[in-house]
Amino acid sequence: MLKIESGLFPLSADGVHVWTFHWPSLPDGLWIQTQKWLSPEEKAQAARYKIPDDRLRFSFGRFLLRFLSGHYLGLDGKDLQMGVAAHGKPYWQEEGEKLRFNVSHSGSWIAMAFAQEREIGIDVQMIDKSSRFNSEKIAGYAFHPLEVEAVKSAPAEEKMQIFFNIWACKESVIKMTGTGLHGALGKFSVLPVPEQERWQIIGCQQISPMIKMASIRMLAFDENYAGAVCIQGTKSPHILKIRSWDDLRQIFE
Ligand SMILES: CC(C)(COP(=O)(O)OP(=O)(O)OC[C@H]1O[C@@H](n2cnc3c(N)ncnc32)[C@H](O)[C@@H]1OP(=O)(O)O)[C@@H](O)C(=O)NCCC(=O)NCCS
């Protein structure tokens, strides 16, 4: 029995929930819970990370994904079986057609998005503020000409932020389609829509026809990060709700 539209965090048919977690601020006791929730495969994958922070970020991410997915599906998140599509996009084998999700992690942040029966992609990127990072050069070989121009024409003090905003938007698009990087980033362009919160996608539907109706929203983390969520379009517009650990605290503390 699906509980997507009921429970503590009801997710309506036109709803999109984005959860952002600053994982170093999660309570210490949560690590014990995390160990109880991961599948044997996830524990093995976590153990393969050599850098402790990578292991923690991945493990917390999978625990929170399982917890929230279980909540939305009305199932025990510990038992959910993860499948992986052709280019690596994970889905739940139980009711996977109903609940769509996507996860991203970078530095101190984990982000995940959930929707009903519409594809979704999310990305968070730590901004590389080192002087060695040449945003114009990287844009030149990875971005669409319209985006290269946007980076080049930006004032020096805004260049880095603009580069990473574009990068996060583009990754959210290819994570929505599920196609992965594969040299696709230069084939379409993302640009902010003046006076609106959303960004638009211009160009190539060769990657996926889903791009035609999709829309992008920037996400706020802190000044060192850029983030975006890309939502497949359907007839009804979506309603975006942003949530955080504060919404879960009462359950675990
Ligand atoms: C998807 C991708 C762009 C993510 O890159 P990233 O910025 O390093 O990582 P993020 O933290 O934003 O996202 C990682 C999450 O994306 C998800 N993911 C993996 N592949 C995905 C895909 N093709 N589409 C959408 N999401 C994907 C996973 O949930 C992963 O989380 P996990 O580490 O907990 O498993 C990159 O991994 C990619 O291009 N993968 C495709 C590789 C491919 O095509 N393989 C084919 C093998 S046949």
Side-chain angles (χ1 to χ4, degrees):
M1 176 67 165
L2 291 177
K3 283 194 178 162
I4 293 180
E5 297 191 24
S6 63
L8 270 180
F9 312 111
L11 178 62
S12 59
D14 56 2
V16 172
H17 286 183
V18 165
W19 290 81
T20 64
F21 300 100
H22 187 263
W23 67 264
S25 310
L26 293 172
D28 290 344
L30 208 64
W31 184 246
I32 297 163
Q33 290 275 350
T34 298
Q35 294 312 299
K36 291 181 190 155
W37 279 71
L38 300 194
S39 69
E41 295 76 26
E42 286 165 338
K43 283 184 185 156
Q45 192 174 339
R48 287 196 288 274
Y49 284 108
K50 293 200 170 62
I51 300 169
D53 275 8
D54 291 345
R55 192 160 55 240
L56 291 166
R57 190 168 39 235
F58 169 79
S59 303
F60 279 131
R62 280 299 169 90
F63 158 60
L64 291 161
L65 174 67
R66 283 185 175 278
F67 177 81
L68 289 169
S69 299
H71 165 79
Y72 287 121
L73 290 169
L75 299 170
D76 187 340
K78 295 189 199 73
D79 298 335
L80 294 173
Q81 298 292 318
M82 188 174 274
V84 176
H87 299 288
K89 186 166 183 173
Y91 61 91
W92 295 125
Q93 290 176 5
E94 300 87 354
E95 310 290 355
E97 287 303 305
K98 191 85 178 164
L99 182 72
R100 309 289 168 89
F101 68 85
N102 196 231
V103 176
S104 181
H105 20 66
S106 180
S108 300
W109 289 96
I110 300 167
M112 53 191 73
F114 297 89
Q116 271 199 59
E117 296 183 63
R118 59 168 101 205
E119 287 300 341
I120 192 144
I122 193 164
D123 193 58
V124 51
Q125 292 282 334
M126 186 166 15
I127 298 175
D128 186 338
K129 294 190 171 169
S130 69
S131 54
R132 280 173 288 119
F133 188 85
N134 187 332
S135 55
E136 285 191 18
K137 190 171 165 195
I138 299 174
Y141 66 72
F143 283 5
H144 184 279
L146 285 172
E147 298 158 338
V148 177
E149 189 46 41
V151 174
K152 279 193 174 156
S153 61
E157 66 279 10
E158 290 173 22
K159 231 178 245 305
M160 213 63 101
Q161 184 72 52
I162 288 175
F163 174 92
F164 279 96
N165 284 351
I166 293 173
W167 187 271
C169 285
K170 289 176 88 65
E171 277 220 24
S172 74
V173 173
I174 52 106
K175 292 183 77 183
M176 185 276 292
T177 60
T179 39
L181 292 174
H182 282 303
L185 286 186
K187 292 185 183 155
F188 67 95
S189 170
V190 293
L191 287 175
V193 180
E195 319 278 326
Q196 286 187 35
E197 282 179 41
R198 72 186 175 89
W199 285 44
Q200 60 185 329
I201 309 167
I202 298 167
C204 185
Q205 289 173 42
Q206 274 167 265
I207 301 165
S208 163
M210 277 189 260
I211 283 187
K212 190 177 171 198
M213 299 266 292
S215 67
I216 309 170
R217 296 274 290 268
M218 297 300 300
L219 300 171
F221 291 87
D222 63 48
E223 70 280 9
N224 297 317
Y225 292 82
V229 59
C230 179
I231 301 153
Q232 182 186 10
T234 57
K235 283 183 196 132
S236 61
H238 61 268
I239 298 163
L240 181 64
K241 181 132 184 85
I242 313 274
R243 295 185 182 276
S244 70
W245 175 252
D246 285 342
D247 295 292
L248 289 184
R249 192 184 297 275
Q250 50 174 343
I251 299 173
F252 288 99
E253 291 182 351

